[in-house]
Amino acid sequence: MSISDTTLPPVPPDLVKREDWFLAPYAMHSRLSAGRMHPEPPHPYRGPYQRDRDRIIHSAAFRRLSGKMQVFMGEMGDYHRTRLTHTMEVTALARTLARPLRINEDLVEALALQHDIGHPPFGHTGEEILDDCLKHHGGFNHNRHTLRVVEALEQRGLNLPGLNLSREVLEGQSYRVEKQTLRQRPLLEVQIVEAADSIAYDTHDADDALELQLLRIEDLLKITLWDRAAERVRERFTNLDALQFRRAVVHELLDWQTTDLLHNTRDRLERLEISTVEDVRQAEWIVRPDPELAEQKAELESYLFDRVYRHPIICKMREEADHLIREVFARLLQQPEPSIPAEFLRFNEGRELPNIVGDFIACQTDRSLKALYAALTG
Ligand code: MG
């Protein structure tokens, strides 16, 4: 049997059986997928979302996540998260939630691995500066750029644009772009990834900030969520040293919030009598934590914003990134070649030059952008 065999059923029969047996009726079943923009022959034993996951993992944009910062730059050490390890943590949490809820793990995994693939170098600072550089040309948004990467910029060596992912994977990312304007709720698989992203970054940003000594644990313990997690750790363990205690609290924060989310989601599925994908689309937002926990999470987020994301060390880094990106943007606008390969320019023919430059910068890693700056400014 060859992969191009067009007589194959659209979804491997074993997968259909497995999903019918294992997935809940409100999960997105592979056989109900709306397919791909450009139809392709089915695969003999991989389902559509498994193929999407593999395409994302094998893309150059995914590999570049290892060279993109999450909150802290590479030079600051080797403990903290990069954009890649953040993505892996989100994927792990999302799958943990997906299995007991009996929703489609393959789709969840593809969505989670994709979610930050369009992040520019230098994290949210990079995004804000690019957005400002492109303010007269439609702006820049990392979620929208993710769609641009998977729909156009990535090349699989086939005569198709981008990765040609399943419509559900693209829809999940479109939701991230158009959150406010969508009338329908996204799939549960999408809601799970949103929740996992948020639990992951709140927890690991605090952990990284502690390791980098931008925060002290005594300060974090004044925040209700951390204090309660610490209390839960003390109830179970005694005689932990400082580092063991910190690791245990971080673990507890992940475990506690994930478990809470699971219980609350199950309750809501039951109360709202959700039994189909259509019910999910029409219902209120289903994957939400307990309101009290949500409030405490918000308190932690605003604390992290003031004390970590606006820490003098981070602000200094923001200034550097600001200068670097603006300078590279201006120079590439004046003289795109040869820094932007002719192939990239040809591929983007018809697009305005500022947008091409913006895409090109967004595709760089922190390191390659610094090297480009050095080359352009001598
Ligand atoms: Mg993320």
Side-chain angles (χ1 to χ4, degrees), residues 70 83 86 90 115-116 176 197 201:
Q70 177 71 15
R83 191 63 60 182
H86 158 72
V90 173
H115 90 282
D116 267 352
R176 292 175 70 86
D197 188 22
Y201 63 64

Side-chain angles (χ1 to χ4, degrees), residues 88-133:
M88 301 314 291
E89 289 189 30
V90 173
T91 308
L93 280 179
R95 287 192 62 150
T96 295
L97 284 158
R99 192 168 297 178
L101 288 170
R102 297 168 58 222
I103 61 171
N104 197 319
E105 283 181 59
D106 293 333
L107 177 56
V108 160
E109 195 176 11
L111 287 163
L113 292 170
Q114 167 190 248
H115 90 282
D116 267 352
I117 215 174
H119 234 294
F122 303 116
H124 287 285
T125 305
E127 177 170 30
E128 284 164 27
I129 302 158
L130 274 183
D131 188 40
D132 191 49
C133 290

Side-chain angles (χ1 to χ4, degrees), residues 4-19:
S4 60
D5 188 346
T6 48
T7 61
L8 289 170
V11 178
D14 279 357
L15 183 69
V16 174
K17 260 193 255 170
R18 185 187 148 97
E19 288 190 351

